[in-house]
Amino acid sequence: MLRLRNEWRTRYKIMFRLAIPLSIAGFHLVMLIHNEEDARIAYCSAALAIILAPMYRLIKGPSPLMKVIGYIYLFVVAANLVRGTTALFTDIPASFFTPGIYQLLYLVTIYILTILGIMGFMLLWKERTNQELLYYASYDDLTGALNRRTFMASAKSYLNRYAKKGEAVSYLLFDIDSFKDINDKYGHPIGDLVLQDVTKRIRHYLDKDDLFVRYGGDEFGILLPGKGERESSALAERIKIMLQSAPTSLPVSYTISMGVLTVVPDQNTHMESMYTRCDQALYTAKRNGRNSIYRSRFG
């Protein structure tokens, strides 16, 4: 369960490795010092509550299902604490082996929680698998940038929204200069590292609403909703300077060439035409000597 929440951290591993043997040793100590049924019940209830306590992290999970499972485990922790307290401070029978309403309720509860726990784990696993499938269907697995299909759908939505608002949208299209030479000289593994490096570095300069896409190979695009010529030109220049001057652990340095376009979209503005304009600007930047930026305009 904690692994599904990505919470199976070192501290929890250490805790469980210590808690299990210490709980067993403590139980035998209780039997040696005070071997009474109520003491054994109270000890086991407290130990189980402590062992299950980290499951409260599921309550902070991103999905309603994970939250429900977290609350189920929280209920189990609370029920064990109540059972231990009942055994120590009341005359109500708390043993599984003593017939009565407590035994019936506890056994029925254990049965229900076992079924819910198994079903919950399977549903959480399916939910996580679906999320991973959705991620790989939407993002490039090498760089983590959006893939073309997802980008085009999101870009269309942005263009429609900003057409209604009458605000500017900018688009940057770039590729890595002489990327084929990098692959030929250093090999494709280094080429992949370059692609990951450029993606990681540029992402730090983007806002949460910006769309970053890898079209394929070394060609990338960035849609900047709400940013005009001044903002997009400044961003393009910062990216260019950063890539050519920032230190890197890669065995090769690299630069990019970029085409830039800013429009105030209307209902006839399409991402395909923006791509075509920017692609022409990109090749103009290449002809200007690479490691350069060229701005295109509609009309």
Side-chain angles (χ1 to χ4, degrees), residues 8 15 70 200 273:
W8 188 236
M15 177 188 141
K200 180 180 178 181
S273 58

Side-chain angles (χ1 to χ4, degrees), residues 227-246:
K227 294 183 174 66
E229 289 193 10
R230 181 176 59 85
E231 296 93 339
S232 58
S233 294
L235 176 62
E237 194 64 33
R238 285 200 303 272
I239 290 174
K240 172 192 165 186
I241 294 173
M242 177 271 296
L243 291 176
Q244 71 183 19
S245 60

Side-chain angles (χ1 to χ4, degrees), residues 11 31 40 45 119 139 149 156 236 238 247 259 285-286 294:
R11 61 179 175 178
M31 292 180 65
R40 297 196 302 270
S45 299
M119 291 179 61
Y139 292 88
R149 180 183 60 82
K156 180 179 180 181
R238 285 200 303 272
K286 294 281 189 185
Y294 187 83

Side-chain angles (χ1 to χ4, degrees), residues 2-46:
L2 290 174
R3 282 189 178 128
L4 289 177
R5 177 71 176 86
N6 295 320
E7 293 282 354
W8 188 236
R9 300 172 181 170
T10 302
R11 61 179 175 178
Y12 292 135
K13 295 178 183 179
I14 295 174
M15 177 188 141
F16 276 98
R17 287 170 184 167
L18 291 175
I20 300 300
L22 287 177
S23 297
I24 296 172
F27 180 76
H28 285 80
L29 189 62
V30 170
M31 292 180 65
L32 290 173
I33 297 175
H34 188 67
N35 191 18
E36 296 292 335
E37 184 179 59
D38 291 345
R40 297 196 302 270
I41 291 174
Y43 178 85
C44 288
S45 299

Side-chain angles (χ1 to χ4, degrees), residues 23-93:
S23 297
I24 296 172
F27 180 76
H28 285 80
L29 189 62
V30 170
M31 292 180 65
L32 290 173
I33 297 175
H34 188 67
N35 191 18
E36 296 292 335
E37 184 179 59
D38 291 345
R40 297 196 302 270
I41 291 174
Y43 178 85
C44 288
S45 299
L48 187 58
I50 292 172
I51 290 172
L52 293 178
M55 301 299 288
Y56 85 93
R57 303 286 302 181
L58 295 176
I59 295 174
K60 300 180 180 180
S63 70
L65 176 61
M66 191 169 286
K67 294 179 188 295
V68 169
I69 300 300
Y71 280 114
I72 288 175
Y73 274 97
L74 194 62
F75 172 78
V76 173
V77 170
N80 275 280
L81 293 175
V82 170
R83 181 181 181 231
T85 303
T86 301
L88 278 183
F89 300 108
T90 71
D91 295 329
I92 301 174

Side-chain angles (χ1 to χ4, degrees), residues 123-160:
L123 290 172
L124 282 176
W125 189 268
K126 182 177 183 297
E127 182 180 71
R128 177 170 175 172
T129 302
N130 290 342
Q131 290 172 349
E132 290 177 349
L133 290 174
L134 180 62
Y135 176 86
Y136 288 117
S138 303
Y139 292 88
D140 173 60
D141 59 348
L142 177 64
T143 63
L146 292 171
N147 61 28
R148 183 175 188 139
R149 180 183 60 82
T150 305
F151 171 78
M152 294 299 285
S154 299
K156 180 179 180 181
S157 175
Y158 271 126
L159 291 176
N160 291 334

Side-chain angles (χ1 to χ4, degrees), residues 145-182:
L146 292 171
N147 61 28
R148 183 175 188 139
R149 180 183 60 82
T150 305
F151 171 78
M152 294 299 285
S154 299
K156 180 179 180 181
S157 175
Y158 271 126
L159 291 176
N160 291 334
R161 187 190 313 173
Y162 280 82
K164 294 177 182 178
K165 296 166 67 173
E167 296 182 10
V169 173
S170 293
Y171 179 56
L172 281 58
L173 182 68
F174 70 90
D175 65 16
I176 299 170
D177 294 327
S178 304
F179 185 69
K180 183 178 182 302
D181 294 338
I182 293 175

